[in-house]
Amino acid sequence: MAHHRRSHLLLVMAIIAGLSIGVAGCRGPQSGGLTVAGSTSVQPLVEHLAERYMAEHHGEVVNVQGSGSTAGIRAAVSGAAAIGMASRELEPTERDLHRFLIAQDAIAVIVHPANPVKALRREQLRDIYARRIRDWQQLGGNPGTINFITREEGSGTRGAFQEIVMGDAEISADGIVQDSTGTVRAIVAGDRNAIGYISLGMVTPEVATISLDEVVPTHDAVISGQYPLTRPFLLVTSGEPGPRERAFMDYLHQPACQAIIEEEGYVPSAAESRS
Amino acid sequence: MVSTDSGQVKITARGLSLFYGSFHALKSVDLDVQSRTITAIIGPSGCGKSTLLRTFNRMNDMVPGFRLDGEVRLDGQDIYGPQMSVSVLRKRVGMVFQKPNPFPFSIRDNVLFGPRAHGVTDRAYLEHILEQSLRGSGLWDDGGFDLDTPAQDLPLGAQQQLCIARLLAVEPEVILLDEPCSALDPYSTLHIEDLMRQLSEAYTIVIVTHNMQQAARASDRAVFMLLGSMVEEGPTGRLFTEPHDERTAEYIMGRFG
Amino acid sequence: MRLREFVIEKLLFIAALSSLAVLALIAVFVFIEGTPIMLREGLGSFLLGAKWAPTKGSFGILPMIMGSIWVTVGALLIAGPVGVACAVFLVEIAPRQVADVVRPAIQLLAGIPSVVYGFIGIVVLVPFIRETFGGPGLSILSAAIILGVMVLPTVISIAQNALEAVPVEYKQGALALGCTHWQTILLVILPTARTGLITALVLGMGRAVGETMAVIMVVGNAVKLPINPLDPARTLTSNIALEMAYAAGAHREALFATGVVLFVFIMILNALANMRLRRRGSHR
């Protein structure tokens, strides 16, 4: 048992070490597969599309790895990955990267289905997360302390939420922090006093969405641009993409892929550019 | 050596048979153990002498497959009967083992272990018990031991004395000794034998031994066991010089021969 | 033949050395990455600072240190008594047939992936605690209970070894003095096995400090100094695991520094356990 634990710790440390060495050091040429790394929000979608791509383009291999937006962007810069995935807008220091929009994602604010509160204004949402509103009663709901759930520091979803909802206000340190969409959803599904935010594509009937500034987060509302809480799904490359990268990225803009993106609950980039 | 009630019967076994599963360890043993005397049980290995000894304080009970026929009485009271508490029986009938087994505590905590377990809390009384028991075991006079010394740091002979002191502290009536000297050097052995002699003035002592000389030297009465049966019992001097049974004679001859 | 022996011995030696080298490399790496920011921020304000806002330049990990301590101590308060009691039951009381079933079942607990523990925690334990005691449910108490169960196999198996190592002569000695079985356990067996039992707790503690996945899921991860067991908290491990993927620059360094603190924590615990083991070894 002791050995088990110790080796576990070593493993974690080794992975941390390996990751950072990988990110910092090796710029080996891309041999064999095309590596796409980054945001765990973008990952399932790109994985799905990459499978199709490989089936249609015999001999091409695409590896999709989820490690987070920032890590993905860093991997693209260092050359550890050919393409980085990000679920947030690029920061000023990252602007010299080549940016390629594949979809627009809406962030839905979710509560327990039994919660009578169905609509919030953006300021109210901000005040909940800044801990200025503490009880559902203040919002016309049943009395009970609001358990607000946020994502971890650096998450693309949190980044978008911070930018669009919080503005300059800070998310209170009292908030529960979870590092995946699944756990946020599971907690909200089990707690009548909880509130959280997840990608619209991941909403299931276990939780209820809240309308924001009187706009219900529906597909149409996102396409029309009425729903305020959205963020881009990006692919990035360091400099102009090479022919292999270009081929894959262009493939994602084909109508068949855009249709799949729409089916998955996201807004295809073509639709966004139409609006 | 003869004290007032010496000669009275302390322990009686009648038709005592003992089984471990299908193994017949004791075969219909009839024996009277006399009060305030030293009774030695002798016989070859595996003859059942330790088993017989352990029926007197019910230390065999936990052996898997244990079964007992006949009866064993202590002062006339059936020790395997429903009225007898094992805990009380073992306080009255104490035991010293082959290998000294003091607890890994200090000398003091070893001696006072029994009284404390049985609920004595009065400090002065505990100190009194401590001194009495150590005196009784001879350790007090041997002296020079800090009572807070870990028991394991004592020489083996003194450890065995400590085990006796630990026993005296619960004020037993009978002391069973299961080859108490087999792990000790000759000097410590004699020391323990002297001690037994002194203790027999106040206690009934039953000793199992391999050592014929020891039995001859240190016991008042002797019991010869063979293959689970009691062959012969009598005063030690008589049993060693004029055994009634041929098998006893053969064994004693062989051992002395 | 001699040459072969020699070669095999050297090969084994190299194998042993390589695991040591991995340890050394990891230690050096973590320290190189983590110490600069501690020195830059000042060790005091890093270890005792209560505000953690790494993207805004505040790097205080006191809430995480306290979180780790609360959760670990809580886990031990649960796993200690239950684990020792369970070991006593297995070694002293349970009939062989029962022990033969219970022992492997307990070891099976160790094989359950921590994600599964975390999931059960979120779905069953957290709502239970929220409804019974109030608060958000995601809390130190939840994490301590889940961790306590996870640590149990470690505590039980080491405690069991310690109890089995108590010579049967001691037990006989106590019984022959008229002690009941229970008195024998309480007065002789437990005190004799004491050092081994403490080792069991220390090793359990080491495992509890290092556990990550299940804790992240149920502890709430709020960066706040906890004041009662129903508060959410964040542990050192969950801090690293939560933010590592996204962290860059000073933030990343601060996470490595968190790793350094954790590393030192665990080294101290293991050293304590080894000292205990060695002392017991020389005692026998």
Side-chain angles (χ1 to χ4, degrees):
Chain A
M1 282 312 307
H3 285 285
H4 174 73
R5 208 216 83 250
R6 214 172 287 170
S7 60
H8 188 77
L9 176 75
L10 286 183
L11 190 69
V12 170
M13 297 249 174
I15 290 169
I16 293 172
L19 257 175
S20 336
I21 290 169
V23 168
C26 62
R27 269 168 197 275
Q30 290 292 319
S31 59
L34 189 68
T35 305
V36 184
S39 165
T40 50
S41 305
V42 186
Q43 181 196 3
L45 183 61
V46 171
E47 232 162 33
H48 184 144
L49 297 171
E51 273 166 33
R52 274 182 66 104
Y53 181 71
M54 286 187 279
E56 289 174 23
H57 297 73
H58 199 67
E60 186 60 298
V61 179
V62 182
N63 299 315
V64 184
Q65 300 164 359
S67 56
S69 297
T70 308
I73 291 167
R74 271 212 314 272
V77 171
S78 73
I83 302 176
M85 299 180 284
S87 57
R88 58 167 171 79
E89 203 40 81
L90 297 180
E91 285 169 15
T93 55
E94 300 161 342
R95 285 283 152 75
D96 48 343
L97 287 159
H98 184 84
R99 173 183 179 280
F100 185 91
L101 181 74
I102 54 171
Q104 197 76 25
D105 178 35
I107 297 172
V109 177
I110 54 169
V111 293
H112 192 274
N115 193 323
V117 177
K118 300 290 180 203
L120 288 173
R121 305 206 57 80
R122 228 188 294 182
E123 307 81 64
Q124 290 175 314
L125 189 58
R126 182 194 64 208
D127 288 349
I128 289 172
Y129 274 84
R131 200 116 171 87
R132 289 196 281 259
I133 296 177
R134 289 170 176 242
D135 199 291
W136 283 110
Q137 214 166 11
Q138 291 169 267
L139 299 162
N142 302 322
T145 307
I146 301 174
N147 292 329
F148 61 101
I149 298 145
T150 184
R151 291 289 303 276
E152 72 281 13
E153 190 96 33
S155 135
T157 316
R158 177 177 174 142
F161 187 87
Q162 172 76 45
E163 186 186 320
I164 302 165
V165 175
M166 302 306 289
D168 290 334
E170 269 185 51
I171 294 177
S172 160
D174 291 350
I176 301 291
V177 181
Q178 289 297 333
D179 65 343
S180 79
T181 302
T183 44
V184 172
R185 194 175 56 200
I187 291 166
V188 172
D191 181 359
R192 284 163 186 270
N193 292 323
I195 183 169
Y197 56 85
I198 62 174
S199 170
L200 180 58
M202 304 291 273
V203 172
T204 61
E206 302 166 277
V207 294
T209 57
I210 287 231
S211 77
L212 204 55
D213 290 344
E214 285 157 19
V215 182
V216 179
T218 60
H219 196 71
D220 293 338
V222 177
I223 292 179
S224 67
Q226 284 176 291
Y227 188 70
L229 198 42
T230 62
R231 55 165 173 174
F233 276 7
L234 299 177
L235 296 186
V236 297
T237 56
S238 169
E240 276 299 308
R244 282 176 82 195
E245 289 83 8
R246 170 59 69 190
F248 178 65
M249 287 155 83
D250 283 345
Y251 175 77
L252 303 185
H253 267 187
Q254 284 178 9
C257 286
Q258 295 284 302
I260 291 172
I261 291 172
E262 189 153 2
E263 266 170 44
E264 296 279 327
Y266 306 103
V267 179
S269 51
E272 190 237 11
S273 56
R274 270 203 311 271
S275 71
Chain B
M1 207 63 11
V2 181
S3 51
T4 48
D5 59 347
S6 147
Q8 287 184 350
V9 173
K10 186 73 181 174
I11 301 174
T12 347
R14 287 291 176 269
L16 177 63
S17 285
L18 189 146
F19 303 84
Y20 297 130
S22 59
F23 176 62
H24 201 165
L26 291 179
K27 296 170 187 164
S28 192
V29 173
D30 294 314
L31 174 68
D32 290 331
V33 174
Q34 300 191 1
S35 186
R36 304 198 182 197
T37 46
I38 302 178
T39 304
I41 307 177
I42 59 173
S45 297
C47 69
K49 47 190 195 301
S50 282
T51 302
L52 178 61
L53 189 76
R54 283 158 187 258
T55 53
F56 300 152
N57 68 342
R58 296 186 59 171
M59 286 295 276
N60 292 322
D61 290 23
M62 290 160 298
V63 178
F66 164 85
R67 188 160 58 81
L68 181 123
D69 283 341
E71 57 175 35
V72 184
R73 290 183 181 275
L74 175 68
D75 289 338
Q77 197 184 355
D78 184 0
I79 68 170
Y80 285 88
Q83 289 90 351
M84 179 58 77
S85 132
V86 177
S87 178
V88 170
L89 169 72
R90 290 182 183 152
K91 266 183 74 178
R92 292 175 62 189
V93 183
M95 184 165 222
V96 176
F97 296 82
Q98 184 170 357
K99 196 176 141 218
N101 64 345
F103 303 127
F105 312 145
S106 68
I107 292 177
R108 178 193 309 274
D109 289 343
N110 263 282
V111 176
L112 296 182
F113 179 88
R116 282 174 179 157
H118 296 298
V120 178
T121 51
D122 184 81
R123 268 166 172 264
Y125 185 50
L126 283 172
E127 283 301 309
H128 171 75
I129 293 177
L130 180 65
E131 185 180 333
Q132 287 304 308
S133 310
L134 286 170
R135 278 189 195 285
S137 72
L139 262 187
W140 189 272
D141 301 321
D142 294 353
F145 294 121
D146 179 354
L147 295 181
D148 295 318
T149 312
Q152 259 74 5
D153 291 356
L154 294 174
L156 270 184
Q159 287 191 23
Q160 198 62 299
Q161 282 175 275
L162 177 60
C163 290
I164 292 170
R166 183 175 71 183
L167 193 56
L168 298 182
V170 296
E171 296 163 353
E173 299 158 29
V174 181
I175 299 176
L176 308 175
L177 301 114
D178 190 358
E179 300 189 35
C181 300
S182 62
L184 306 185
D185 60 82
Y187 176 77
S188 308
T189 300
L190 286 177
H191 204 77
I192 298 283
E193 285 175 15
D194 285 345
L195 181 59
M196 275 164 50
R197 189 48 76 195
Q198 289 163 28
L199 291 173
S200 69
E201 290 172 25
Y203 304 92
T204 302
I205 294 182
V206 185
I207 176 172
V208 163
T209 179
H210 256 113
N211 181 330
M212 287 302 110
Q213 285 88 344
Q214 181 169 58
R217 270 196 309 264
S219 67
D220 304 314
R221 298 186 72 87
V223 178
F224 176 60
M225 299 278 301
L226 191 63
L227 297 170
S229 301
M230 193 188 86
V231 175
E232 180 168 0
E233 190 270 346
T236 303
R238 200 272 301 152
L239 192 119
F240 274 81
T241 51
E242 305 164 45
H244 293 168
D245 195 291
E246 221 167 279
R247 291 167 294 176
T248 316
E250 248 170 56
Y251 179 71
I252 290 169
M253 291 289 283
R255 297 295 287 200
F256 281 103
Chain C
M1 208 56 207
R2 264 242 175 107
L3 181 72
R4 212 171 117 194
E5 293 270 314
F6 177 80
V7 170
I8 290 174
E9 263 179 33
K10 291 303 161 202
L11 280 176
L12 290 174
F13 177 67
I14 290 169
L17 210 63
S18 66
S19 63
L20 209 67
V22 170
L23 176 69
L25 274 176
I26 291 170
V28 167
F29 183 82
V30 171
F31 273 79
I32 287 178
E33 291 284 321
T35 31
I37 190 159
M38 288 203 238
L39 300 177
R40 216 161 51 235
E41 295 288 316
L43 203 57
S45 69
F46 180 72
L47 293 177
L48 301 177
K51 187 167 168 65
W52 172 263
T55 48
K56 298 188 184 64
S58 302
F59 305 101
I61 64 163
L62 187 64
M64 279 71 102
I65 293 177
M66 293 313 291
S68 274
I69 291 175
W70 272 81
V71 167
T72 306
V73 169
L76 277 191
L77 286 179
I78 292 162
V82 175
V84 171
C86 197
V88 167
F89 173 76
L90 285 176
V91 174
E92 284 299 323
I93 296 166
R96 173 171 291 200
Q97 299 92 312
V98 175
D100 283 351
V101 174
V102 176
R103 259 172 233 232
I106 289 169
Q107 290 318 310
L108 222 59
L109 273 183
I112 297 175
S114 53
V115 181
V116 174
Y117 280 106
F119 190 71
I120 291 171
I122 280 199
V123 175
V124 182
L125 183 65
V126 165
F128 173 79
I129 288 183
R130 183 172 52 232
E131 275 143 36
T132 316
F133 302 107
L138 296 146
S139 58
I140 289 167
L141 181 62
S142 307
I145 292 173
I146 291 284
L147 261 185
V149 175
M150 291 180 75
V151 165
L152 263 186
T154 309
V155 175
I156 291 175
S157 72
I158 298 172
Q160 223 174 287
N161 291 346
L163 295 174
E164 277 163 358
V166 174
V168 67
E169 288 85 4
Y170 295 170
K171 196 177 155 184
Q172 283 181 338
L175 290 174
L177 287 169
C179 285
T180 60
H181 192 183
W182 174 236
Q183 282 178 315
T184 306
I185 291 170
L186 210 63
L187 300 175
V188 176
I189 295 177
L190 287 178
T192 306
R194 196 184 60 236
T195 47
L197 297 178
I198 292 172
T199 304
L201 293 187
V202 173
L203 288 178
M205 199 190 255
R207 183 161 147 69
V209 173
E211 175 54 43
T212 311
M213 191 65 191
V215 175
I216 286 188
M217 292 171 80
V218 299
V219 79
N221 304 310
V223 190
K224 216 182 73 172
L225 276 175
I227 35 179
N228 87 59
L230 295 175
D231 283 346
R234 184 181 291 195
T235 65
L236 291 165
T237 49
S238 56
N239 192 40
I240 299 175
L242 275 174
E243 298 186 357
M244 200 65 203
Y246 302 104
H251 184 189
R252 183 163 156 277
E253 282 181 55
L255 293 182
F256 269 102
T258 312
V260 170
V261 174
L262 185 62
F263 198 88
V264 171
F265 241 74
I266 296 214
M267 285 297 150
I268 291 174
L269 281 180
N270 276 342
L272 271 177
N274 282 336
M275 258 163 52
R276 286 276 173 195
L277 283 176
R278 208 163 306 140
R279 206 186 306 160
R280 192 169 62 140
S282 69
H283 193 73
R284 287 282 138 79

